Amino acid sequence: NDCTMSSSKQTFEYVFIPADSSAPVETRTGDKKGGLSDDELVLSAKKCFFEQSGGAKKAEALKGASPEQRHQLADQFREAQKGNPTMQQLSDEQILSFIESSQSNPQCEIMALTVPTKGNNYQAVSLYVSEHGEKRNERACNLLQAVGHRLPEKDNQRTAGIYGDVFCGRCYDNEGGEGEWRRVDFIPQDLDEKSDWMEISKRQGGGGGSGASNVASLTGTMGQIQKQQQEKQQEEDLGYTWEQTEDEVELKLSVSANIKAKDVSIKFARSSLTIKVAGELLVEGATGGNVVVDLSTYTLQDAEEGRELCVIMGKHEEGLTWAHAVKKSS
């Protein structure tokens, strides 16, 4: 588990917290030059967790599977996702492409301990967590609770909490005001419950949790701002509603009850989307981010009034929050 980082000028510090409580917390150093788009902390965490999970070997084994084995794997995935109607509509190759992408690309979950607010000088602290951790990380669990968050529930009958090694770092994030984002040092001493940032997080407007909900994910960190952006766009009478997760954007359009699949024409492109229904252009314009065309699809289903067209776009930059779904062509 060699998760070392190189240091250079204009660096920042962050910490690595092993799941093994007997192992010391380590200080790591990263380069600030990557900014938000190529944040070295995120890249380092993903690389570390990818090596721990054996993701490269799993992806290679999938490529070497026989046609029958690949079909069985797709069916197993559909069974595991039977509550997700969108996944049931995908072909074997679309499902396998999704699996290969998730196995071959390093990933980590980002949990916001504090969100940037005026009360904490727009400084956000986040945990970077493995999706494949086995051992409960007691220090990370204590940290979550210390800033007012409930421990995340697990769906495999394990005790609620955080599992596996984690990284913890801090940033200055005032993109809504000064338009600035930069890394700020976070050192082992900041893990002390009496540290300034923890004390501030417990105050009203301090950016911490209230104890009434689970810790926010990356996409939920600025959830209120995102909701306001979406509501503003929908008020412009675009004819659809939309929402997003870390890896997908979903549009929903109401159409007439007599609309069939043959009446729907959708063109997915890397940076644009066009939707026509019964020859009428309903949506056309640039998307809020780059799209993975092979992971994009749509469904048409009955609704209380008429039918509902649900369009799913796969995000190319996983974790990136889109400011809009589709910007109208001028």
Side-chain angles (χ1 to χ4, degrees):
N1 298 342
D2 183 11
C3 305
T4 57
M5 299 214 37
S6 60
S7 61
S8 62
K9 294 180 181 179
Q10 292 193 342
T11 60
F12 66 95
E13 293 184 331
Y14 59 99
V15 298
F16 174 69
I17 309 174
D20 181 356
S21 297
S22 65
V25 172
E26 302 174 18
T27 302
R28 301 293 172 88
T29 304
D31 198 315
K32 294 181 179 179
K33 65 182 180 182
L36 178 59
S37 59
D38 291 304
D39 178 31
E40 193 162 340
L41 195 168
V42 173
L43 295 176
S44 178
K46 287 183 175 181
K47 179 182 177 182
C48 176
F49 299 149
F50 189 58
E51 292 172 353
Q52 290 178 348
S53 69
K57 293 181 180 179
K58 294 176 182 177
E60 198 62 35
L62 181 59
K63 290 180 180 179
S66 67
E68 183 179 352
Q69 290 172 327
R70 291 172 69 85
H71 176 67
Q72 291 175 348
L73 184 59
D75 281 344
Q76 291 171 5
F77 184 85
R78 288 191 188 93
E79 178 62 24
Q81 298 286 326
K82 57 185 178 182
N84 186 338
T86 300
M87 287 299 179
Q88 307 305 313
Q89 301 289 328
L90 300 182
S91 66
D92 284 1
E93 287 308 311
Q94 286 176 315
I95 289 176
L96 292 171
S97 176
F98 174 80
I99 295 174
E100 287 174 352
S101 175
S102 63
Q103 291 288 6
S104 61
N105 293 315
Q107 298 178 8
C108 74
E109 182 179 2
I110 305 177
M111 296 182 173
L113 298 180
T114 63
V115 297
T117 66
K118 185 176 180 181
N120 62 20
N121 193 30
Y122 302 102
Q123 295 197 14
V125 177
S126 298
L127 286 180
Y128 302 80
V129 183
S130 171
E131 296 181 343
H132 308 284
E134 296 294 333
K135 183 178 178 62
R136 194 170 188 266
N137 193 317
E138 299 298 337
R139 288 178 292 198
C141 292
N142 292 338
L143 184 57
L144 268 177
Q145 294 177 307
V147 293
H149 295 292
R150 287 172 51 190
L151 297 177
E153 298 290 339
K154 297 298 177 181
D155 57 6
N156 53 6
Q157 299 184 340
R158 290 195 297 184
T159 305
I162 294 178
Y163 287 77
D165 301 333
V166 304
F167 293 82
C168 187
R170 174 164 39 205
C171 69
Y172 176 84
D173 185 359
N174 190 15
E175 294 188 273
E178 302 169 4
E180 182 179 3
W181 186 97
R182 67 176 184 271
R183 277 293 172 191
V184 180
D185 287 342
F186 189 93
I187 58 178
Q189 288 85 338
D190 288 317
L191 297 174
D192 190 318
E193 290 191 18
K194 296 181 180 179
S195 60
D196 289 344
W197 77 274
M198 282 203 200
E199 292 295 333
I200 292 172
S201 74
K202 299 170 186 176
R203 304 172 188 167
Q204 185 174 1
S210 64
S213 61
N214 291 330
V215 62
S217 67
L218 176 64
T219 53
T221 301
M222 304 303 291
Q224 189 58 40
I225 294 176
Q226 174 187 319
K227 183 179 179 181
Q228 291 172 354
Q229 291 172 331
Q230 293 173 353
E231 288 176 346
K232 181 180 179 181
Q233 186 175 15
Q234 288 160 17
E235 287 171 359
E236 294 174 355
D237 194 27
L238 294 177
Y240 62 83
T241 60
W242 72 285
E243 57 186 8
Q244 63 183 309
T245 65
E246 289 189 358
D247 53 10
E248 288 183 343
V249 173
E250 180 184 76
L251 285 74
K252 292 184 177 179
L253 302 87
S254 296
V255 297
S256 301
N258 62 346
I259 294 297
K260 308 294 183 184
K262 63 182 179 64
D263 301 317
V264 178
S265 173
I266 298 180
K267 181 180 179 181
F268 296 102
R270 180 178 174 83
S271 58
S272 65
L273 176 69
T274 303
I275 302 175
K276 292 183 178 180
V277 176
E280 180 183 359
L281 181 63
L282 299 185
V283 176
E284 183 180 47
T287 52
N290 289 331
V291 176
V292 181
V293 176
D294 289 344
L295 297 183
S296 301
T297 186
Y298 73 91
T299 61
L300 185 63
Q301 55 196 17
D302 293 331
E304 290 185 6
E305 295 183 9
R307 308 198 79 187
E308 181 179 75
L309 175 62
C310 179
V311 180
I312 305 286
M313 293 184 287
K315 288 184 177 180
H316 186 269
E317 295 86 9
E318 185 173 323
L320 177 67
T321 300
W322 289 16
H324 59 267
V326 183
K327 190 173 183 179
K328 279 185 175 181
S329 300
S330 56

